[in-house]
Amino acid sequence: MTGAPEAASEAPFLVALNLTRRCNLACAHCYMDAGARARGGADELSTAEVTGILDQIAALSDETMVVLTGGEPMLRKDIYDIARHAGGLGLMAVLGSNGTLFDEARVAALKDAGVQAVGISLDSLDPEYHDRFRGREGCWAETMAGIDCCRRAGLMLQLHFSVTGDNAGELDDMIAFARAAGAVVLNVFFMVCTGRGESLTNISAEVYDSVLSRVAEAARDERELVVRARCAPHFKRMALEMEPPLPLTLRDGYEAGGCLAGTRYCRVTPEGELTACPYMEASVGSLRADDFAALWRDAPLFQQLRAPKLEGRCGECEYGKLCGGCRARPLGRSGELMGEDFLCRYEPRGSALIEPLTTPDAALGWTPEAEVWLKRVPAFVRRFVKRRAEDHAREMHADVVTAQHMQTLARRRFGSTGSPGGPPGVAARRGRPGMEGGA
């Protein structure tokens, strides 16, 4: 079975720049296995090399979100220069951090440098568990202080929660905490067996299904918080199976929760190697020698991921195009990139392959007022919001998208409190992103 995604040759929606292997923690699950966490690597990209890579990414598309991460990116003294360069190119710069090094001055400097959001890892509301998981006593309190700093500064906040068999029962509490903390997004990560995470894949298929089902419900029902699954493409199947369903298709791209590796997402290592995702460590080329656009377009591994020939249950499954399974899991376990995702319990029913919805050929016009709404939506999700708005307008038998259409969609997503992408001033006062947004 093949599962080539829609518009596979488009620019990536998301690029992670692992800027350093240095880290002030020793997280049990770290995919980078940061043996050089105290010193960094001798071959770490220079400031000029990083900004040059950003230039190449922006030349391909200025609607790409770049995640500045590590290791711990705050350990790079040039992090503010890098962020400022990304923002100057029109890219959405997001910082991925453990949050322990934030204080009022550093958060203010990040905002001044153009960082539009930060993602902070929080693996439990139990300080002892979090400290043990992150490898240093007292880091939970420091992370909480970092969250407070971001909230007070009005810096858009997302929380990252890595699920294991030990903390899976905390999901509802974590959703409530993220909402109370003023987070825009809660990303629920399901670990893949690489790096130090090889020893922590203790989540059973049963618990995985249970947690993922709850994530899908929260993604459908939450109004003040965007809840998303990461490294869990089965999310799409569960979303469609719910009553009422949460309709997601491949064209929803980054928001849809499926695997993005090599199709919508890629990762740059601290040494400049380009990989499909952090859990597929094979480099498709060095950005010190090769052009980003050429590698993104032509790398054989990326081409393979864009037109997968799935095997096992994944190859027989009617959700092959909407889900396709995680490719890193079978690769990590058996070396078979196209093998079945062993954490999925679903048994294919022999039904016809579910095709993703396609974008209608006829383009719709936009009123100036509607275009103002669209411009306030974060660039990395703007194309999806545009498609949804045009679909809604067609349902209303309209030949132009109006501000009223945008407002209706916003109310559907965020309820009577209104949309973060709503009238001028509302988004700024609430510290929220655009209508479907989040970092």
Side-chain angles (χ1 to χ4, degrees):
M1 175 184 295
T2 60
E6 179 186 351
S9 60
E10 290 184 359
F13 305 153
L14 176 65
V15 178
L17 298 179
N18 286 138
L19 296 175
T20 183
R21 296 185 186 275
R22 285 173 285 167
C23 189
N24 59 328
L25 302 181
C27 302
H29 64 294
C30 181
Y31 61 75
M32 295 192 73
D33 195 13
R37 65 187 182 89
R39 305 174 307 279
D43 206 22
E44 198 170 271
L45 291 169
S46 67
T47 307
E49 286 174 320
V50 174
T51 57
I53 290 171
L54 289 169
D55 290 342
Q56 294 181 37
I57 293 171
L60 196 58
S61 172
D62 63 1
E63 292 190 344
T64 298
M65 181 174 74
V66 291
V67 180
L68 309 176
T69 185
E72 173 48 56
M74 293 300 292
L75 291 175
R76 279 196 67 138
K77 295 180 180 179
D78 59 356
I79 188 62
Y80 307 110
D81 295 329
I82 290 170
R84 187 172 290 106
H85 189 83
L89 294 169
L91 299 169
M92 181 176 183
V94 175
L95 188 83
S97 171
N98 59 44
T100 62
L101 298 178
F102 289 164
D103 58 25
E104 305 292 345
R106 287 171 177 164
V107 169
L110 288 173
K111 284 192 68 177
D112 182 67
V115 170
Q116 297 187 39
V118 295
I120 295 180
S121 299
L122 181 66
D123 300 303
S124 178
L125 298 178
D126 175 359
E128 291 185 7
Y129 177 90
H130 179 88
D131 288 357
R132 184 168 61 252
F133 195 72
R134 293 280 158 180
R136 182 165 65 77
E137 185 177 353
C139 67
W140 184 89
E142 294 170 356
T143 294
M144 286 296 185
I147 291 172
D148 286 341
C149 283
C150 293
R151 182 177 64 246
R152 287 193 297 269
L155 185 55
M156 192 189 302
L157 173 67
Q158 66 176 7
L159 295 181
H160 298 168
F161 175 51
S162 294
V163 178
T164 71
D166 298 321
N167 67 356
E170 289 196 58
L171 177 59
D172 282 337
D173 289 340
M174 191 62 70
I175 292 171
F177 173 80
R179 193 190 310 119
V184 172
V185 178
L186 174 64
N187 283 323
V188 182
F189 283 86
F190 293 80
M191 290 189 299
V192 181
C193 52
T194 62
R196 288 198 294 271
E198 290 183 22
S199 62
L200 284 176
T201 53
N202 65 340
I203 190 169
S204 67
E206 292 78 13
V207 172
Y208 181 95
D209 273 11
S210 175
V211 173
L212 197 53
S213 177
R214 177 67 188 101
V215 171
E217 291 173 356
R220 179 193 62 193
D221 298 337
E222 285 290 324
R223 289 294 176 263
E224 293 299 312
L225 179 70
V226 176
V227 181
R228 303 189 297 205
R230 287 290 174 261
C231 302
H234 319 149
F235 174 85
K236 291 187 177 182
R237 170 177 58 81
M238 293 187 173
L240 292 178
E241 289 177 338
M242 289 190 302
E243 292 293 341
L246 172 64
L248 295 171
T249 68
L250 276 177
R251 68 180 187 156
D252 290 298
Y254 184 61
E255 290 297 305
C259 181
L260 312 175
T263 63
R264 299 169 177 80
Y265 167 75
C266 58
R267 184 271 300 244
V268 180
T269 73
E271 297 76 34
E273 301 297 320
L274 189 66
T275 75
C277 86
Y279 306 110
M280 297 183 193
E281 299 179 357
S283 171
V284 301
S286 171
L287 293 176
R288 283 175 158 150
D290 300 310
D291 178 67
F292 178 87
L295 290 176
W296 172 256
R297 183 182 62 245
D298 300 328
L301 176 61
F302 291 177
Q303 294 288 343
Q304 192 177 4
L305 290 167
R306 292 165 191 166
K309 297 180 179 179
L310 304 175
E311 301 170 358
R313 284 179 299 128
C314 289
E316 301 169 358
C317 186
E318 58 269 30
Y319 290 95
K321 282 192 175 182
L322 292 180
C323 168
C326 174
R327 298 297 95 220
R329 288 195 186 102
L331 180 66
R333 172 175 282 194
S334 64
E336 298 296 330
L337 179 66
M338 294 298 158
E340 68 178 47
D341 187 339
F342 55 84
L343 265 185
C344 178
R345 295 196 302 160
Y346 182 74
E347 292 295 336
R349 299 171 182 172
S351 304
L353 188 66
I354 299 173
E355 295 286 344
L357 297 177
T358 57
T359 303
D361 293 331
L364 293 186
W366 284 66
T367 67
E369 295 79 10
E371 289 181 344
V372 170
W373 276 76
L374 188 63
K375 287 179 181 178
R376 286 195 293 269
V377 175
F380 76 101
V381 292
R382 193 173 295 148
R383 70 188 75 181
F384 310 120
V385 174
K386 182 178 181 181
R387 288 175 180 176
R388 290 178 181 178
E390 291 182 350
D391 285 348
H392 173 64
R394 290 187 182 94
E395 290 172 2
M396 298 294 102
H397 306 289
D399 56 7
V400 63
V401 179
T402 68
Q404 182 62 43
H405 293 137
M406 299 293 284
Q407 187 175 29
T408 298
L409 289 178
R411 285 176 175 168
R412 285 183 186 177
R413 181 64 185 87
F414 292 98
S416 60
T417 57
S419 164
V426 174
R429 288 195 302 271
R430 297 183 63 200
R432 306 283 193 203
M435 188 172 68
E436 291 290 330

